[in-house]
Amino acid sequence: MDTPLVELDSDHPGFRDPEYRRRRDEIARLAAQHRSGDPPPRVEYTPVECETWKQVFERLAALYPSHACREFNAVFAALAYKPDAVPQLADVSAFLQERTGFGLQPVAGLVSARDFLSALSNRSFCATQYIRHSSQPYYTPEPDIVHELMGHAPMLAIPEFADLSQRIGQGSLGATDEQVECLATLYWFTVEYGMVRERGQLRAYGAGLLSSFGELEHALSGSVEVRPFDPWEAAKTPYPITTFQPLLWEVPSIAAAFSRMNEYLSAS
Ligand SMILES: [Fe+2]
């Protein structure tokens, strides 16, 4: 038997499921064998995996009209994901290439902030290809294909957002560890948890919000503090990773998020 590539924590929903762990390894191996520049490998998802996708997909898709930003909803419609089949990274990557030149690069799991940001500078987005455990379809302790394809992919098809992502990545090139930490925090507060005000209404544009209906509902519940995005202040602000975010940052447009970030990076 091969040595496992993927280690799960003892509190991971799939920890006690040998079939899930075998499957995680199988998909991780595909990512490990993938050659940069090639399209992501195709995965034949099982009926259990497709059912998990369907459950999360339907719940999130119902919230988007009232909770997601306008640009996201336009791309989400164009992507035309089906509830019954997990979309393939290769197809979504080709869609993004055409729109903004971004590509999805399969990874086995979390990569370091420096490697992740460096890939962004080349318009390459590191994306996981496995799906969360079926016992908890509305929860995942780590990024999975639902997070990547529901949260990140539609935004990466928007030119201003693609520029914002690449700009954060460019800021990491040659940066010190401390500067990379600040950039990872800014990435968190924008690409993962950013909010945009449209016609007076707050809407989500961050993938961490758009891929979790609990977090998405909470973000717009009125109980979260939302401040105008100030990269200098946000870069130094700690955030929790295991609870809903108590503080979010809003911009008047995605283009404004890019220009604020650009000001910050040009000055540092
Ligand atoms: Fe993410």
Side-chain angles (χ1 to χ4, degrees):
M1 192 180 154
D2 294 328
T3 323
L5 281 185
V6 179
E7 295 293 340
L8 301 181
D9 287 342
S10 59
D11 58 354
H12 190 286
F15 182 72
R16 286 176 206 292
D17 180 345
E19 174 51 25
Y20 182 77
R21 297 180 69 149
R22 186 200 64 74
R23 182 67 170 156
R24 284 290 298 266
D25 256 24
E26 190 172 79
I27 294 177
R29 263 174 232 291
L30 290 178
Q33 289 159 4
H34 174 259
R35 286 208 322 238
S36 162
D38 285 352
R42 290 185 178 269
V43 173
E44 198 174 320
Y45 291 100
T46 66
V48 171
E49 289 170 332
C50 290
E51 179 58 30
T52 302
W53 164 265
K54 184 179 185 183
Q55 289 188 43
V56 203
F57 172 86
E58 287 183 337
R59 203 141 179 198
L60 284 169
L63 266 188
Y64 289 158
S66 53
H67 286 61
C69 69
R70 206 166 11 103
E71 294 105 314
F72 175 94
N73 279 321
V75 179
F76 187 67
L79 277 164
Y81 293 151
K82 306 276 182 296
D84 296 320
V86 184
Q88 294 291 331
L89 283 192
D91 297 336
V92 179
S93 189
F95 176 94
L96 295 177
Q97 284 283 356
E98 207 165 283
R99 296 237 168 171
T100 57
F102 249 92
L104 300 178
Q105 181 183 325
V107 290
L110 282 173
V111 296
S112 73
R114 192 178 284 280
D115 288 350
F116 186 86
L117 293 171
S118 167
L120 281 185
S121 74
N122 289 319
R123 295 207 166 218
S124 178
F125 187 88
C126 297
T128 57
Q129 204 162 13
Y130 57 83
I131 199 160
R132 60 196 63 188
H133 193 255
S134 58
S135 64
Q136 294 190 42
Y138 305 124
Y139 168 76
T140 176
E142 61 203 335
D144 72 338
I145 195 160
V146 175
H147 173 72
E148 319 292 18
L149 295 190
M150 296 293 275
H152 284 294
M155 291 304 300
L156 288 167
I158 299 163
E160 295 80 4
F161 185 87
D163 291 346
L164 168 69
S165 305
Q166 183 178 30
R167 190 68 187 95
I168 299 175
Q170 287 167 338
S172 75
L173 303 176
T176 64
D177 288 350
E178 195 188 340
Q179 287 168 329
V180 166
E181 204 179 313
C182 286
L183 283 170
T185 302
L186 289 170
Y187 176 90
W188 180 271
F189 283 130
T190 55
V191 176
E192 293 289 356
Y193 287 94
M195 302 278 273
V196 57
R197 194 170 288 275
E198 291 178 345
R199 299 189 195 96
Q201 302 289 317
L202 276 175
R203 293 285 182 263
Y205 75 86
L209 299 171
L210 293 163
S211 62
S212 159
F213 74 85
E215 188 88 56
L216 188 52
E217 278 187 328
H218 181 254
L220 291 180
S221 64
S223 61
V224 175
E225 182 186 354
V226 183
R227 294 186 199 162
F229 179 53
D230 176 336
W232 284 270
E233 200 189 332
K236 304 283 180 202
T237 303
Y239 54 85
I241 55 167
T242 53
T243 60
F244 289 153
Q245 298 299 305
L247 167 65
L248 298 171
W249 304 82
E250 67 167 272
V251 286
S253 65
I254 306 298
F258 171 83
S259 79
R260 292 294 276 156
M261 193 71 77
N262 195 36
E263 277 172 49
Y264 171 84
L265 289 168
S266 303
S268 57

